[in-house]
Amino acid sequence: MSHPNQSVRRLTVAQALVQFLSAQYSERDGVRHRLIAGTWGIFGHGNVAGIGQALLEAGEEAMPFHQGRNEQAMVHAAVGYARQRGRLSTQAVTTSIGPGATNLVTGAALATINRLPVLLLPGDYFAARPADPLLQQLEHPVEADVSVNDTLRPVSRCFDRITRPEMLIPSALNAMRVLTDPAETGAVTLALPQDVQAEAYDWPEEFFAERVWHVRRPAPDRTELTEAVRAIRAAERPLIVAGGGVHHSEAEEALKSLVDATGIPVASTQAGKGSLRHDHPADLGGIGHTGTAVCDDLARTADLVIGVGTRYSDFTTASRTLFQNPGVRFVNLNITAFDAHKLAGRTLVADARSGLEALSEGLAGHHVSDAYVAEYRAGKERWEEVVQAAFRADDDNAVPTQTQVLGALDSVVGDDDVVINAAGSLPGDLHKLWRARSPRQYHLEYGYSCMGYEIPAGIGVQQAAPGTPVWSLVGDGTYLMMPTEIVTAVQEGLPVNLVLIQNHGYASIGGLSEETGGERFGTAYRHRAADGTFTGTPLRVDLAANAGSLGMDVLRAKTVRELRDALATARASDRPTCVYVETDPAPTAPGAEAWWDVPVAEVASRPAALAARERYDRHTADRRHHL
Ligand SMILES: Cc1ncc(C[n+]2csc(CCOP(=O)(O)OP(=O)(O)O)c2C)c(N)n1
Ligand SMILES: [Mg+2]
């Protein structure tokens, strides 16, 4: 189709998409960022001749290309990149058809749940259907237009399938809108049938013009603000719960100003930790099931909880058992009305920074009581002793426990080092113990808690923050789930550091299993014994040798002293380096201060489950509906 009075450029759909993406920018607070900073890809027949050819034609400057090993991992890398860049810049991921495309599902869910933008470009079956079924095609006997890519619909914030070239124009614009919308963002999927990718079309020149997407900071509604201020002024024991929205909005300074002026203490979720520096007198650390004693004590007695950019996950609310003050009320500052309404909260729908600034103005002259300040400061001091005890190693020549590993890391990192983790027993230990020194330091993916996020995310973070030491912390189970992107770090020359903690299986789920009557069934990495169970000797796998074989430098640390030295060496190195350590399983982490609801068998023959169910029933009695 030609466009009268418009100049046009004849390109394939794939070429047009790459050209379009190379000209998109985001802007917030007057600063411009390239929106799609690069494209990850693994090629197969679904994208090699379409997007692959288009990337080659565009060249590295127009669209940098990164080669991944696993499609899910490429999404993790893009997510890590986007989070480090404050959601103002992200990466695209191109895949083939079928298994390449469905490998995206886990990454897409992770991105969407964590509200982090990524652009997914899976190949799809021919739109014209010349010879069904093609290789890797699922033929649905009833719904002929279903493709395996439809599995991406529920995990995407926006999904489209480009079955005609001209569809790309509205669809690509809408995709950019969602990626840069602070309330809607997440995984954005444009499924690209392989014949359409290669088809030529006369594109209007304007489609390729630079386009800047303003990332808005909506201010609060006046009535909601007045009500929120009134509620906070009336509260005697207010507690701020800082969530990931504080970081996404870069609202840390605004939060600090509010807290400095009012004395209201801050508890943080996994996504929000680091909203205040750990040594700020009002920073009480993590809240909820993996929270600190001082936070959870305050949460139990708070009369007003001020949620800032939080989704109130079950870990935060201790499965709705944490906020026990009979009169407790919630004020929720959130950019999505969906989250602001949670726990029957008073809503303050706004950007976190705008909202906090408005609250500071409205609260001028207000300060919580001296007694309240003294109470939480004393609690903070007591918790600091818990941290020190967990980090301290009395014998430098002993095998470290896991919390001593964190203590050693704490002693070598600088203010800007980034520590990445997502699953296992580390998230709980880190939430309770880590001393976050800067807003981006504590990089915990705990929306999806996806084993295997850490290594690829480390690559994305390192790409976003060259020169910053990056630490991917992984357990042995997590390492085995997805070590493949080590090769990518080596290929890209990215000095990501790995701290690999060997404890021969799933310590976290083993503990959970024991608590819930499962007797650690199936959670240790051991040989099958004569009776058929996995209770034989530990598996003799050498994960350090594995990391070395993929191209990393490897340092094996057997003692606390060797560990500290190895961490310092890794930090100074300009090569990707793995610090491997076997840990002493003796528990040195503080126990849970609040409950987490994991249902236990209501009937069973084994005593462990019966005892666990009794405990469970006692806890469920504490559940509350906040109305
Ligand atoms: C992809 C994925 N599968 C399963 C789980 C459930 N899960 C959470 S932690 C964990 C074990 C992690 O083991 P490891 O990395 O060795 O850490 P450890 O528990 O020993 O600290 C499992 C299986 C998960 N979070 N992600
Ligand atoms: Mg383990």
Side-chain angles (χ1 to χ4, degrees), residues 39 60 62 117 154 187 198 274 282 321 377 411 434 473 485 556 564 623:
T39 297
E60 271 294 300
T321 63
R377 285 199 180 181
S411 72
W434 189 260
L473 273 49
E485 299 318 301
R556 293 175 190 256
R564 265 198 306 268
R623 280 190 196 134

Side-chain angles (χ1 to χ4, degrees), residues 138-222:
L138 172 85
E139 286 182 292
H140 195 293
V142 180
E143 297 179 59
D145 62 343
V146 162
S147 112
V148 293
N149 288 1
D150 290 299
T151 57
L152 285 158
R153 286 178 192 269
V155 290
S156 298
R157 289 310 308 259
C158 156
F159 178 98
D160 207 352
R161 180 177 285 126
I162 310 299
T163 53
R164 292 182 59 87
E166 60 269 44
M167 273 179 74
L168 181 66
I169 295 175
S171 189
L173 291 170
N174 189 50
M176 299 304 107
R177 175 188 70 77
V178 176
L179 286 173
T180 53
D181 185 311
E184 289 189 31
T185 197
V188 169
T189 303
L190 297 182
L192 301 167
Q194 66 182 116
D195 51 347
V196 180
Q197 284 180 47
E199 208 173 321
Y201 183 73
D202 291 328
W203 306 91
E205 239 353 290
E206 291 96 313
F207 185 51
F208 307 111
E210 278 189 11
R211 205 169 286 266
V212 181
W213 300 83
H214 173 64
V215 180
R216 68 184 73 88
R217 291 190 179 279
D221 172 85
R222 194 175 306 187

Side-chain angles (χ1 to χ4, degrees), residues 429-480:
D429 291 0
L430 287 161
H431 199 213
K432 289 191 195 93
L433 303 173
W434 189 260
R435 296 164 170 156
R437 295 148 165 87
S438 61
R440 300 247 181 272
Q441 174 159 88
Y442 188 83
H443 186 127
L444 260 280
E445 186 285 291
Y446 216 60
Y448 210 40
S449 184
C450 183
M451 290 166 75
Y453 171 76
E454 296 86 346
I455 298 172
I459 291 172
V461 169
Q462 190 75 83
Q463 286 176 329
T468 301
V470 174
W471 303 90
S472 294
L473 273 49
V474 297
D476 53 318
T478 295
Y479 179 86
L480 285 169

Side-chain angles (χ1 to χ4, degrees), residues 402 423-426 449-451 475-478 481 503 505-509:
Q402 182 159 294
S425 53
L426 280 164
S449 184
C450 183
M451 290 166 75
D476 53 318
T478 295
M481 183 88 54
N503 59 14
Y506 305 156
S508 53
I509 306 299

Side-chain angles (χ1 to χ4, degrees), residues 272-566:
K273 202 169 145 94
S275 292
L276 283 185
R277 230 187 106 101
H278 74 95
D279 49 7
H280 188 286
D283 179 60
L284 307 184
I287 187 170
H289 177 60
T290 52
T292 66
V294 53
C295 268
D296 287 354
D297 286 349
L298 246 52
R300 285 192 185 89
T301 54
D303 57 356
L304 184 74
V305 178
I306 306 162
V308 184
T310 176
R311 301 188 305 137
Y312 286 114
S313 81
D314 62 346
F315 265 67
T316 300
T317 66
S319 302
R320 303 267 166 104
T321 63
L322 187 60
F323 303 110
Q324 284 296 345
N325 183 329
V328 66
R329 289 284 180 270
F330 297 81
V331 165
N332 298 325
L333 165 54
N334 206 294
I335 199 152
T336 72
F338 179 78
D339 287 313
H341 275 279
K342 285 178 177 171
L343 308 180
R346 247 177 237 288
T347 53
L348 187 58
V349 178
D351 164 65
R353 187 197 280 182
S354 307
L356 287 166
E357 285 169 355
L359 282 176
S360 282
E361 240 173 74
L363 290 167
H366 176 70
H367 200 278
V368 298
S369 73
D370 291 350
Y372 187 49
V373 173
E375 177 187 334
Y376 72 67
R377 285 199 180 181
K380 181 178 168 68
E381 266 171 43
R382 282 196 300 275
W383 189 260
E384 182 51 33
E385 283 164 26
V386 173
V387 175
Q388 277 167 23
F391 280 1
R392 186 170 50 232
D394 293 326
D395 179 2
D396 268 3
N397 296 314
V399 173
T401 63
Q402 182 159 294
T403 61
Q404 289 165 349
V405 174
L406 299 183
L409 188 60
D410 175 82
S411 72
V412 304
V413 297
D415 275 9
D416 294 323
D417 289 34
V418 180
V419 174
I420 302 168
N421 182 245
S425 53
L426 280 164
D429 291 0
L430 287 161
H431 199 213
K432 289 191 195 93
L433 303 173
W434 189 260
R435 296 164 170 156
R437 295 148 165 87
S438 61
R440 300 247 181 272
Q441 174 159 88
Y442 188 83
H443 186 127
L444 260 280
E445 186 285 291
Y446 216 60
Y448 210 40
S449 184
C450 183
M451 290 166 75
Y453 171 76
E454 296 86 346
I455 298 172
I459 291 172
V461 169
Q462 190 75 83
Q463 286 176 329
T468 301
V470 174
W471 303 90
S472 294
L473 273 49
V474 297
D476 53 318
T478 295
Y479 179 86
L480 285 169
M481 183 88 54
M482 195 173 281
T484 46
E485 299 318 301
I486 286 175
V487 176
T488 307
V490 172
Q491 179 179 41
E492 297 270 351
L494 296 168
V496 177
N497 298 309
L498 199 61
V499 180
L500 171 46
I501 296 180
Q502 171 63 283
N503 59 14
H504 304 284
Y506 305 156
S508 53
I509 306 299
L512 180 62
S513 168
E514 202 165 308
E515 257 167 62
T516 53
E519 303 174 50
R520 295 194 170 255
F521 176 70
T523 58
Y525 284 174
R526 288 174 175 271
H527 285 101
R528 204 182 272 284
D531 64 357
T533 62
F534 294 115
T535 52
T537 48
L539 300 183
R540 283 188 49 206
V541 287
D542 187 342
L543 302 183
N546 185 273
S549 77
L550 297 178
M552 276 198 140
D553 288 353
V554 176
L555 303 164
R556 293 175 190 256
K558 292 203 177 58
T559 64
V560 174
R561 185 191 319 272
E562 285 178 16
L563 177 64
R564 265 198 306 268
D565 291 348

